[in-house]
Amino acid sequence: MKCTIGIDLGSTTTKAVVLDMQENVLGRGITNSRSNYDVACDVARTEALLDARFNLFRSGIVGFQQIVGDVDAFTEALRQGFRLQQHLETLRELESTCGHLAGILFTGQELEKVKALYDGVFGAMVIEAEQLFAIDAKRRSDFFRDIAGSSYMKLVDLAAADAGLSFERLLGVYDKAILLVEAHVFKVDLTKVLGLSLRRALDSAGVAQEAHAEFFDVVHHVATVDLDLVVTVGTGYGRARLPFPKEWIRSEILCHGLGAHATFPNTRTVLDIGGQDTKAIQVDGDGIVTSFQMNDRCAAGCGRYLGYIADEMNLGLHELGPLAQTSTSTVKINSTCTVFAGAELRDRLAAGQKREDILAGLHRAIILRAMSLLARSGGIDNEFTFTGGVANNAAAVDALRKLVEENYGEITLNISPSSIYTGAHGAAIFAVREALHPTVLDRVSDKTNEAVLAGGTL
Amino acid sequence: MSQNLDVDAKPSIEKEESMFVQKKMIADHFDRLANAKESGKKVVYTFVPGNLTELMLSFDTLPVLPEINALQAGMRKMSGEYIAEAERHGHSEDVCTYVKCDIGMMLKGNIGPTGQKIPDPDLLLLSYTGCFTFLKWFELLRDRYPNCPVAMLHVPYQGEGEYTPEMVKYVVEQLKREIIPKFEKVTGTSFNEGALKELLANSALAENDLVWVLEAAKNPVSPIDSYFGGVYYIGPIFTSFRGTPGAVAYYKQLRKEVEARVEAGEGPITPDGPMGEQKFRIVVEGPPNWTSFREFWKMFYDEGAVVVASTYTKVGGVYERGFRHDPEKPLETLAEYCLGCYTNLNLPDRVGMIANYVKEYNADGFLMNSVKSCNSFSSGQLVMLREVEKRTGRAGAFIETDLVDPRYFSASNVKNRLESYFQMLAQKRAAAQAEVMA
Amino acid sequence: MELEQINALSMEELLTKCEAVCLDFNFTTVREWKAENPGQKAMGFLPTYVPRELIHAAGMLPVGVLGADDSLEIVRGDACFQSYICHLPRSVVELGMTGRLDCIDGMLFPSTCDVIRNLSGIWKMQFPDKLSLYFDAPQNFDMDIGGKFYRVVLDEIWAHMLKLNGSTATNDDLLASIALYNLNRRLCAEVYDMRAARPWVATASEVYILMRAGMLLPVEQHNVYLARYLELAEAETKAGNRREMDNARVVISGSFCEQPPLALVRTLERAGCYVVEDDYMMITRWLGCGVPVEGDALHNLVQSYMDYKGESAAKFVPDGCKKGTELIGRIGSTNAEGVLFSAPSFCDPALLDQPMLQEALDRVGISHTAFKYSENTGQLQPIRERAGTFADTIKLWGEA
C-alpha cells in the first residue's frame, strides 16, 4: 500500500509518523536521537513502520475477539514480546561489544576478572529484561540506552568492588560500547520474530492450539505487506542532515502548526516544548503559520532542563510530573538556568524544602518562560494546543492550564496523547501533499530518490 | 561599516571596482597611521555614530575607530582571543564585546587589520552619541593612556522623538568651547573654518550618491543587498573618509556600478557570485554578526532572500530624510548630524522607520538581529517587533547573535530560525496565491 | 500614616512598617496618598537620579519604581527583553502591564544607561495615555555649557509637571520643596553617618529598608521616619541592646540602579559584613543637603547638580579627575576595610566601571571581591560564601 512518512529529528528524540494517502495515521515510532542522526532516523522509521504493522495486526484480529478477549491487550502482548526479542538481540550485541572493548582496555588477570564479571552481569541483565518486558510490566523508559545503562551501572557497581576492578573504567567501556551498538541498525526477520512473539502471546492468553493458525495467517500478512513509502518529509532540529531534496525538508514550525491543526482543527495557537527549544506558533484556519517565536539563545526552561533535574534527583523523566503533582505548597523558583539547576536544587533540599514542592515550582517556572514566549508571539485568543515531549508531563500541563487562565481567561486547551509526534505528523501531511501534487519528484534524480526511499519497506 | 581586508579572500569571489577602490583607501589610511609618529600627524580615536570626521580632517589629524578595529578583528577571527584576554583582565562576560575586543587588542600590542601597529592616541574624541557604552569605553582607554586628553561631546538623546534647537545649541557650545580648543591644543594649529567648509561640501556630494544607492533597492529586482552589501557601501562615509575627494569618487563609482545593475535588471553580487532569483525581500534591524559574516549572508542568498533596507546602515548618519552636511553652518550641521544618527532616535521613531521601510521597499518581512553586546540597539527590540508587526501586518523574525563574540553565534540556531521564517513566508504566499486563483 | 503616629512607633513597628511599604508592589501608599489628595497625581521615576523637587512642588507624589524585589512572577516583562538584559526593566514592565502602576500618572526615565533609556520608548508605545519623559542630565559639567542645557531640561520637566497636575506652583513652592528634600538628604546622611560610625546600631538591612521606603513615602512622612529611626537607634544603643561584633567593614559598589533583594542585604550581614557605605538609591544623597533655598529655584538645582562631586558609573568622570578617587575617599571617610563589588548581572555601567575601580583599589592596597546578582536572585548561598570568605580574610589581615 502507498504511504508517506514524516520524520522529526529532535535534539533528544526522533519521531516518525506513517500516513496513508487519506492522511490517516498508520503508525508512529520514536527513538532517542543519540549522536548519529542517520541511525536515529532509520530506527524511528523502522519503529513507525513496525507500529503500522502492529496496528494492521490489531485490525486483522478484530474478528477474533471471542478468542482473545481484549484485542488491544492482545496486540500489546504481541508488541511486548517483539520488544523483548529486539532488546535481547541488542543486549547480545552490547555484550559482545563490551567484551571486545574490554579485550583492548584490560590485560592479563584483570581481563579475566572482567570477563567473569561480564558473564554474571549480562546474565543478570537478560533475566532482568525478561521481567521488564513481561506482558503487563511498566518501564521507566523504552529506550535501550536507558534500560541497559541503568541495569549495567547497578550491576557493575555491585560487582566491581568485589572483583577489585575500577567502576569508572568499566563505565567507560559501556559509554563507548553503547555508541557503537546504537549506531548499528538491526535487520530483523519479521516473520520469524513476530512468530516467536505471537506464540508467547497466545500461550500467555491461553488460546487453544487449534485457533493458532488463523493468528499466524494475520501475522504473516502484516509481516509481508508492502508498505510503499512514496514521499518522506523531514523536519526538526537535525533536518538539515537528512539526505533529502530541499523541498522534502520543512521547518518544525510549519510541521508543528500543521500537525496541531490536523489533530485539533480549531487550533489557533500552538505551544511546543521540546528538548532544546520552545516554540510559540500562531496558525490560521488552514493550519498555515502566521507568526512564530522560538526561545532565545538561552535555553533555560526547555525540556532538557527537566532532564537535568531528573538526573539530579535520580528519577526517571516521567516520574517528575506525578511527584510534582503531590505538592501541597509550590516553592517559588526564579531561575530555570540549566547551569545552576543542580546547585539550586541542592540548596533548596538543604534548606529543608520538600522534593515535590520544589518540583512543582520548577514546573511552574518552566511554563512561565513559555508564557513569555507566547506573549512574544502574539498571545492566545482562541483554541490552544500544547505539543512536544513536555506535554506528556501532567504537572507541566497543570501549571500551563493555570497560567493560561490567569493571563488569558477561559481558553480551550488541547493536548493529544500522541502530542510528541505532532511535528512528524505535520511533516507526513506535507509528504502526502507532495505525493499528490509533486513539486520535486520529477526533478529528483533516481539516485536521490532511491536513497530517500531506502529502508522504506521492512 | 566594514572594510573587509581579508586579502586571503577566495579568488573566485567577484569583486566590484568600488571594492578595490575602498580597499586601497583603507590600506593607505593604515599606512598613514603607521607613519604618524614620523610624519608628526596627531592621532584621534573616536566612534562611528556621531563621528566628527570633517573636523578631525580639518585639523589634519588621523582618525582611528576602535569599533572598526573590533569588527575587523571579528572578521579576521581574532576577536575571540582578544575578548578572552580582556576577560582575563577582569572584564565581565556580560558586557559589550567591541569594548573587550578593543581592550584585548591593545593588551596584545594594538596590531591593526593590516598587521601594522596602530599608534597610541593623541586625543580621545568621545562623541557620546546613542550609546552609553562609549562613555565607559573611553574612560577605560584614558586609564590605559593616562596622558591622553579626552574631548567629551555629549549628544543629547532624541527622547521625545525630535531634536530641539536647544540641543543643537548645547552640542555647538561643546564643539566651540571644549572640542575645538582641545584639538587646537593637541595639534598646535588653530581652527580653520574654511577647510572645514570645504570638507563638508564634499560630504554632501557623497551623501547624495549614498542615498541614491541605498534607495535603488526599491527596484523590483534589488541591485544591492542593503545589509550584507550595505555594510561595505557605508564604509568610507561612516569612517575616516567622509569629506574627502576620495570618498566623493568612491560613491560616484559605486553609483555607476549600481546604475548598471539596475539597467540590466541584475541583483547584488554575493561572495558566491551574482545573486539568483530574489524570492524574499527583507528589512533588517540591528548590527550584523562579524565573526561569521559570510556564513550569515549565505543563509540569506541561499534561500533567495535579499535585504532591501536596514537600520544598521544608518548608525553613522540617517541621510534618507533629507539631512546633508551643510557647509553654510559648519558647527550646527555637525551637531545636527550627531543628533540624527540612528541609535540616537527613540524607539517609536525607530519603529516608524522600519515600518516605512517595509512599505516603501515593498518587503515581504523583516528581521530583528538582536545583538547581545549592544543594549542601545537590542533593548526593546522585542517590543519594536510587535509594533512593526501591528503597523505593517507582516510577521517579523527574531534571532540572537553577537557582534564579535564567536561564542555567541550559533550557526545552526540562526539557520533554523531563518529557514523557518522564509518557509513561513513562502507558505503564506502560496496560500494567498491559491486564494486569488480560487 | 499621621506624623504623630510615626513618632510613637517602636523600633520593631517602624521597621515592620517600612519593610511592608518597600515590598508592597500594589503601591498601597501611593493609592492612599491619592485618596487623601483627590485630583493630585503621582509621578514615577527610575534610578538613579531625578529632581524630585519638581514633582513635589507641582503637588504630585514622586514614586521610585525600583523593580519588584524577588516577589513577582515575570511573564510580560520577559516577553519584552532578551535573556542578556538586566532584570529591572522586566519587573517594571510587569508592574506596568499587570495594572499595578495604574496609580502612577507619568514616568521619568533618567539617563542611567541604554536599557533605561530604551525603556522610556517602550513606555511611550505600551502606555500611550501616560506621560513618559526621558530625563537627559548633562555629561558636561561646565555651568556655561552643560549648565545652560540642564536648565532647558529642567524648564521642560517643570512645565510638564505643572501641566500634568494642572498646577500653578511658583518659584517659592519649588524653593519650599527644595528645603524639604534638603532636610530629607540631611536626615539620610545622618543615618548613613550613624551606620558608618556604629554599623551594629544602624544595620545594613535596616538602613536599606528605611531608604527604600523613602522612595515610596511622601517626603514629609519619610523625614519623620528618618528622625524617629535616629532617635530609636540612639535609645537602643543606650539600652545596650545592640552590641558590636567582630565583623568586616565593607563598602558596596555597583548597586546604584537595579536594587538587590532585601534577602541579599541580610545575607551579607549574616556573612559577617558591616556595610558601612553603599551606592543603593543614590538619589538619597545626590546634590547634598545644601541646595540654596533662595532666589531662582531651578538655577539652584542646576548649580548644585554641576557642583556635586558624587560619582556613579552613569556619570562621566571629566579629565582631571581620576576614576576611583571618589570611591577611595568614601572608603576612607567611612573607615572601611574593603569593597564588595556587587553589580546586577548585565549591568553595563557597573560592570564596565568595575575593572577601573578595582585597579584603583589595587594601587592603594584596598582589598575587594565581586559578585553579581539580580533583583530576584534566589541563589544566595554562593554570595554568602564569597562575602563570608572576604570578611574572614579582612579580619585575619586586620589582626595581623
Side-chain angles (χ1 to χ4, degrees):
Chain A
M1 65 191 293
K2 278 192 189 314
C3 46
T4 70
I5 191 162
I7 297 180
D8 178 359
L9 278 134
S11 61
T12 321
T13 54
T14 297
K15 285 80 58 175
V17 170
V18 181
L19 296 183
D20 66 16
M21 300 313 281
Q22 287 71 48
E23 300 184 6
N24 297 308
V25 176
L26 294 180
R28 301 182 178 95
I30 184 166
T31 186
N32 53 320
S33 289
R34 57 198 89 190
S35 52
N36 185 331
Y37 277 161
D38 294 346
V39 175
C41 183
D42 261 0
V43 173
R45 174 167 40 213
T46 309
E47 290 284 320
L49 288 166
L50 257 177
D51 184 50
R53 291 177 196 278
F54 282 113
N55 291 333
L56 289 172
F57 176 81
R58 190 203 166 278
S59 317
I61 62 162
V62 167
F64 309 157
Q65 199 177 346
Q66 67 282 10
I67 307 176
V68 292
D70 187 341
V71 169
D72 289 321
F74 188 79
T75 310
E76 191 47 39
L78 185 72
R79 280 177 195 269
Q80 289 281 48
F82 188 87
R83 283 199 196 107
L84 173 61
Q85 297 302 328
Q86 267 185 316
H87 185 85
L88 290 174
E89 190 174 335
T90 319
L91 206 51
R92 277 192 290 277
E93 174 84 11
L94 181 66
E95 182 177 6
S96 84
T97 311
C98 282
H100 175 71
L101 289 171
I104 300 168
L105 295 168
F106 297 85
T107 51
Q109 218 180 347
E110 223 181 4
L111 177 60
E112 291 313 311
K113 279 188 196 166
V114 173
K115 279 184 179 163
L117 180 139
Y118 274 166
D119 281 345
V121 164
F122 282 97
M125 283 169 82
V126 169
I127 296 169
E128 268 194 14
E130 305 267 3
Q131 290 157 357
L132 274 168
F133 288 91
I135 303 279
D136 48 3
K138 290 232 178 301
R139 289 174 298 275
R140 257 189 194 182
S141 162
D142 274 335
F143 299 143
F144 180 80
R145 163 192 280 270
D146 299 342
I147 300 173
S150 74
S151 56
Y152 179 95
M153 279 227 272
K154 189 183 66 195
L155 293 164
V156 170
D157 193 19
L158 284 173
D162 290 343
L165 290 163
S166 148
F167 172 67
E168 281 69 30
R169 283 181 72 197
L170 290 167
L171 206 57
V173 172
Y174 175 83
D175 288 343
K176 288 192 186 71
I178 190 72
L179 291 177
L180 294 168
V181 171
E182 282 192 328
H184 183 177
V185 182
F186 295 91
K187 287 270 177 278
V188 181
D189 181 343
L190 259 186
T191 315
K192 188 179 141 204
V193 178
L194 276 176
L196 281 173
S197 314
L198 179 63
R199 190 161 304 283
R200 180 176 181 253
L202 288 168
D203 289 347
S204 152
V207 175
Q209 193 67 36
E210 53 272 24
H212 285 198
E214 286 184 287
F215 286 89
F216 276 99
D217 284 349
V218 178
V219 156
H220 180 73
H221 169 70
V222 302
T224 53
V225 65
D226 185 22
L227 294 176
D228 178 14
L229 290 179
V230 287
V231 176
T232 304
V233 166
T235 185
Y237 202 74
R239 63 182 183 275
R241 306 273 294 272
L242 294 169
F244 298 177
K246 206 172 166 192
E247 290 77 359
W248 288 13
I249 293 184
R250 288 286 195 289
S251 79
E252 62 256 51
I253 298 290
L254 297 195
C255 291
H256 274 92
L258 189 57
H261 169 80
T263 320
F264 303 104
N266 292 323
T267 296
R268 288 297 177 276
T269 305
V270 185
L271 172 68
D272 176 83
I273 307 186
Q276 223 167 54
D277 51 36
T278 303
K279 315 177 245 295
I281 308 167
Q282 308 286 349
V283 293
D284 68 9
D286 298 316
I288 289 176
V289 177
T290 54
S291 78
F292 70 90
Q293 286 294 323
M294 294 170 88
N295 61 291
D296 52 31
R297 195 182 177 282
C298 168
C302 293
R304 187 60 64 80
Y305 179 71
L306 288 174
Y308 287 123
I309 296 298
D311 288 349
E312 195 68 37
M313 286 194 167
N314 200 18
L315 291 168
L317 189 53
H318 61 247
E319 290 172 292
L320 290 182
L323 185 54
Q325 283 186 302
T326 64
S327 159
T328 46
S329 132
T330 304
V331 166
K332 203 165 141 299
I333 301 219
N334 289 327
S335 161
T336 50
C337 178
T338 41
V339 179
F340 295 122
E344 172 108 32
L345 207 62
R346 285 190 293 274
D347 266 13
R348 291 183 180 277
L349 287 170
Q353 292 172 329
K354 286 196 221 145
R355 284 207 306 180
E356 57 268 31
D357 294 342
I358 300 170
L359 278 177
L362 289 169
H363 281 82
R364 188 172 169 89
I366 284 174
I367 298 301
L368 273 170
R369 299 267 309 178
M371 292 303 294
S372 297
L373 201 66
L374 280 164
R376 278 186 199 180
S377 81
I380 309 172
D381 48 29
N382 215 318
E383 218 168 284
F384 171 63
T385 300
F386 183 24
T387 70
V390 178
N392 291 331
N393 177 320
V397 173
D398 284 350
L400 180 65
R401 221 178 270 286
K402 229 182 270 167
L403 277 161
V404 167
E405 200 182 321
E406 282 170 25
N407 286 279
Y408 298 100
E410 281 280 330
I411 295 276
T412 306
L413 173 58
N414 305 312
I415 298 168
S416 154
S418 48
S419 70
I420 197 167
Y421 294 100
T422 307
H425 188 181
I429 299 173
F430 278 119
V432 171
R433 292 182 184 175
E434 185 64 31
L436 297 175
H437 310 283
T439 61
V440 274
L441 212 49
D442 48 338
R443 278 191 274 140
V444 178
S445 74
D446 285 348
K447 210 173 163 193
T448 318
N449 210 357
E450 265 166 34
V452 172
L453 298 180
T457 44
L458 267 162
Chain B
M1 221 162 43
S2 132
Q3 306 83 45
N4 182 3
L5 285 179
D6 58 344
V7 278
D8 313 324
K10 282 179 281 175
S12 61
I13 292 174
E14 252 185 82
K15 281 206 169 127
E16 298 136 282
E17 180 60 28
S18 58
M19 284 193 81
F20 292 108
V21 173
Q22 180 170 169
K23 211 167 149 178
K24 172 132 190 6
M25 289 166 84
I26 295 162
D28 290 349
H29 183 65
F30 277 98
D31 282 346
R32 283 194 292 273
L33 281 172
N35 297 324
K37 293 294 168 237
E38 292 120 67
S39 65
K41 292 212 177 189
K42 299 296 176 191
V43 175
V44 181
Y45 285 20
T46 197
F47 297 106
V48 171
N51 68 75
L52 301 172
T53 302
E54 297 87 347
L55 188 69
M56 290 186 271
L57 296 180
S58 76
F59 276 101
D60 206 19
T61 59
L62 294 173
V64 169
L65 296 132
E67 290 157 286
I68 305 292
N69 294 340
L71 78 85
Q72 294 269 10
M75 284 184 126
R76 289 180 298 126
K77 315 276 183 207
M78 312 279 283
S79 55
E81 199 184 310
Y82 291 157
I83 292 167
E85 181 72 12
E87 287 179 1
R88 276 195 290 277
H89 278 77
H91 285 268
S92 166
E93 65 269 34
D94 289 359
V95 301
C96 174
T97 55
Y98 265 180
V99 178
K100 284 185 287 187
C101 184
D102 187 39
I103 302 266
M105 186 169 120
M106 286 175 190
L107 289 167
K108 284 185 168 275
N110 216 15
I111 305 300
T114 53
Q116 294 152 299
K117 187 183 180 302
I118 297 174
D120 291 352
D122 297 297
L123 177 67
L124 293 165
L125 173 54
L126 169 48
S127 64
Y128 168 41
T129 304
C131 166
F132 177 83
T133 298
F134 288 166
L135 203 141
K136 296 284 109 186
W137 194 337
F138 273 15
E139 281 182 348
L140 283 159
L141 289 202
R142 183 174 51 190
D143 255 27
R144 283 200 63 73
Y145 304 106
N147 300 320
C148 178
V150 180
M152 159 63 151
L153 178 70
H154 173 211
V155 177
Y157 181 62
Q158 291 196 33
E160 307 313 310
E162 59 183 10
Y163 60 80
T164 61
E166 288 77 16
M167 291 180 186
V168 177
K169 205 170 150 203
Y170 174 42
V171 177
V172 169
E173 282 302 301
Q174 293 178 79
L175 289 173
K176 272 189 198 156
R177 301 169 69 160
E178 285 276 341
I179 309 297
I180 291 175
K182 280 205 164 136
F183 267 96
E184 289 178 328
K185 196 166 168 208
V186 165
T187 60
T189 56
S190 337
F191 174 51
N192 180 345
E193 198 184 64
L196 177 63
K197 282 180 167 181
E198 205 171 299
L199 288 153
L200 290 168
N202 279 338
S203 299
L205 292 177
E207 285 155 5
N208 283 336
D209 283 336
L210 173 69
V211 170
W212 189 92
V213 165
L214 293 177
E215 290 191 339
K218 288 179 181 170
N219 281 290
V221 174
S222 174
I224 61 165
D225 186 291
S226 217
Y227 190 54
F228 299 104
V231 299
Y232 291 91
Y233 303 153
I234 57 177
I237 212 164
F238 279 15
T239 62
S240 319
F241 307 102
R242 197 180 57 228
T244 62
V248 176
Y250 168 83
Y251 285 98
K252 264 208 182 93
Q253 170 66 28
L254 177 65
R255 178 170 175 165
K256 222 166 69 187
E257 286 162 9
V258 174
E259 271 172 346
R261 289 209 292 275
V262 171
E263 228 155 87
E266 284 170 359
I269 293 164
T270 73
D272 289 332
M275 188 181 170
E277 188 194 349
Q278 296 185 355
K279 292 186 206 151
F280 309 106
R281 298 168 65 85
I282 306 293
V283 171
V284 178
E285 141 79 14
N289 163 272
W290 301 109
T291 48
S292 303
F293 184 78
R294 289 232 174 122
E295 195 177 0
F296 192 18
W297 189 356
K298 192 168 160 58
M299 290 176 197
F300 280 71
Y301 61 75
D302 275 357
E303 297 289 330
V306 63
V307 181
V308 287
S310 70
T311 54
Y312 183 66
T313 47
K314 317 295 151 57
V315 288
V318 175
Y319 295 109
E320 75 235 15
R321 296 172 170 183
F323 169 81
R324 297 289 180 275
H325 279 94
D326 181 356
E328 293 312 308
K329 43 173 193 173
L331 296 186
E332 285 79 0
T333 207
L334 287 174
E336 287 172 358
Y337 158 75
C338 293
L339 284 157
C341 287
Y342 179 71
T343 45
N344 206 44
L345 309 182
N346 77 358
L347 261 51
D349 201 10
R350 283 169 61 190
V351 164
M353 201 160 146
I354 298 164
N356 274 343
Y357 284 161
V358 171
K359 270 179 237 154
E360 287 175 13
Y361 288 78
N362 196 22
D364 299 296
F366 64 97
L367 167 75
M368 303 256 162
N369 182 27
S370 168
V371 154
K372 173 184 176 266
S373 273
C374 186
N375 287 342
S376 172
F377 256 108
S378 304
S379 190
Q381 270 176 333
L382 282 158
V383 180
M384 290 170 63
L385 176 99
R386 302 286 312 144
E387 283 293 317
V388 177
E389 284 182 337
K390 251 191 265 170
R391 290 201 207 171
T392 60
R394 307 271 156 89
F398 193 83
I399 55 167
E400 282 189 27
T401 68
D402 188 46
L403 297 168
V404 289
D405 192 339
R407 296 168 298 188
Y408 221 87
F409 185 87
S410 161
S412 59
N413 254 313
V414 173
K415 195 167 169 25
N416 186 16
R417 281 150 178 76
L418 286 177
E419 264 181 25
S420 300
Y421 183 67
F422 296 138
Q423 285 186 14
M424 178 188 81
L425 293 182
Q427 195 191 32
K428 274 189 183 179
R429 185 185 289 164
Q433 278 165 355
E435 208 162 284
V436 171
M437 305 258 275
Chain C
M1 191 177 268
E2 297 297 323
L3 302 184
E4 311 84 77
Q5 286 175 297
I6 300 170
N7 270 323
L9 293 174
S10 70
M11 186 59 125
E12 202 188 328
E13 288 165 340
L14 181 143
L15 293 170
T16 308
K17 171 75 187 160
C18 285
E19 186 172 336
V21 168
C22 294
L23 299 181
D24 169 19
F25 298 106
N26 286 311
F27 297 91
T28 310
T29 44
V30 180
R31 290 170 204 277
E32 283 172 359
W33 182 89
K34 288 180 84 168
E36 284 160 21
N37 300 274
Q40 308 293 55
K41 298 206 159 57
M43 186 76 193
F45 63 87
L46 269 86
T48 40
Y49 171 78
V50 299
R52 288 178 292 179
E53 290 86 345
L54 272 56
I55 303 169
H56 182 268
M60 294 191 285
L61 178 67
V63 182
V65 180
L66 304 190
D69 206 76
D70 61 0
S71 61
L72 203 60
E73 273 185 349
I74 309 292
V75 174
R76 294 158 189 82
D78 276 347
C80 296
F81 296 98
Q82 302 89 325
S83 49
Y84 53 76
I85 307 281
C86 60
H87 201 273
L88 176 66
R90 300 166 200 276
S91 60
V92 173
V93 165
E94 194 75 25
L95 289 170
M97 291 172 91
T98 50
R100 288 175 169 88
L101 292 177
D102 283 358
C103 56
I104 290 173
D105 304 280
M107 288 280 264
L108 266 179
F109 297 90
S111 44
T112 307
C113 69
D114 292 334
V115 172
I116 303 294
R117 182 195 78 178
N118 287 8
L119 189 57
S120 74
I122 291 177
W123 221 258
K124 282 185 164 63
M125 294 191 282
Q126 301 283 2
F127 307 99
D129 302 334
K130 299 246 169 140
L131 177 67
S132 156
L133 290 174
Y134 181 63
F135 168 58
D136 208 353
Q139 296 284 5
N140 175 298
F141 304 99
D142 181 325
M143 195 59 192
D144 271 352
I145 307 171
K148 272 189 184 153
F149 174 69
Y150 191 41
R151 175 61 191 250
V152 174
V153 171
L154 290 190
D155 277 335
E156 278 171 13
I157 291 180
W158 180 226
H160 274 294
M161 295 303 102
L162 293 176
K163 189 173 164 218
L164 179 63
N165 208 35
S167 165
T168 53
T170 62
N171 187 56
D172 284 347
D173 296 312
L174 202 41
L175 289 171
S177 295
I178 291 173
L180 259 176
Y181 279 96
N182 274 343
L183 174 61
N184 187 259
R185 288 184 286 261
R186 205 190 75 218
L187 290 165
C188 288
E190 283 178 30
V191 171
Y192 290 133
D193 288 347
M194 179 188 272
R195 184 182 61 174
R198 287 168 289 159
W200 55 94
V201 175
T203 67
S205 58
E206 287 181 6
V207 173
Y208 182 77
I209 292 168
L210 192 60
M211 297 303 170
R212 192 157 173 174
M215 299 298 102
L216 294 155
L217 293 165
V219 63
E220 298 83 353
Q221 275 190 34
H222 190 230
N223 285 347
V224 182
Y225 273 104
L226 289 165
R228 178 68 183 159
Y229 178 81
L230 286 163
E231 191 181 355
L232 287 167
E234 287 296 352
E236 291 264 318
T237 320
K238 283 205 183 102
N241 291 341
R242 299 183 169 207
R243 286 168 200 284
E244 181 173 8
M245 288 191 294
D246 184 24
N247 283 1
R249 300 169 59 90
V250 301
V251 173
I252 295 284
S253 175
S255 310
F256 47 86
C257 184
E258 178 175 326
Q259 295 298 299
L262 178 54
L264 192 155
V265 182
R266 290 194 168 130
T267 296
L268 299 180
E269 289 180 321
R270 283 194 209 109
C273 294
Y274 279 141
V275 176
V276 292
E277 172 70 340
D278 62 49
D279 55 6
Y280 305 139
M281 291 159 282
M282 303 185 89
I283 194 168
T284 57
R285 313 149 187 257
W286 216 259
L287 302 193
C289 39
V291 182
V293 291
E294 286 166 350
D296 180 352
L298 289 172
H299 173 84
N300 299 344
L301 286 170
V302 171
Q303 186 77 59
S304 305
Y305 189 89
M306 293 290 133
D307 293 345
Y308 185 62
K309 295 293 174 236
E311 285 180 9
S312 91
K315 185 178 163 188
F316 179 63
V317 173
D319 275 13
C321 305
K322 180 78 187 154
K323 195 86 189 172
T325 310
E326 191 254 11
L327 175 62
I328 292 167
R330 287 192 290 130
I331 295 166
S333 66
T334 53
N335 235 342
E337 298 164 289
V339 176
L340 281 179
F341 287 100
S342 156
S345 292
F346 303 108
C347 175
D348 268 1
L351 292 170
L352 286 162
D353 238 24
Q354 206 165 284
M356 290 185 271
L357 296 173
Q358 288 172 336
E359 266 178 40
L361 295 184
D362 289 342
R363 279 193 293 267
V364 292
I366 296 171
S367 54
H368 53 84
T369 190
F371 61 83
K372 288 189 289 188
Y373 66 89
S374 71
E375 60 170 342
N376 70 342
T377 296
Q379 301 220 338
L380 296 169
Q381 189 54 31
I383 295 177
R384 183 174 181 165
E385 271 169 32
R386 180 160 284 258
T389 312
F390 183 64
D392 289 347
T393 318
I394 284 180
K395 280 180 282 179
L396 283 174
W397 284 350
E399 282 161 19

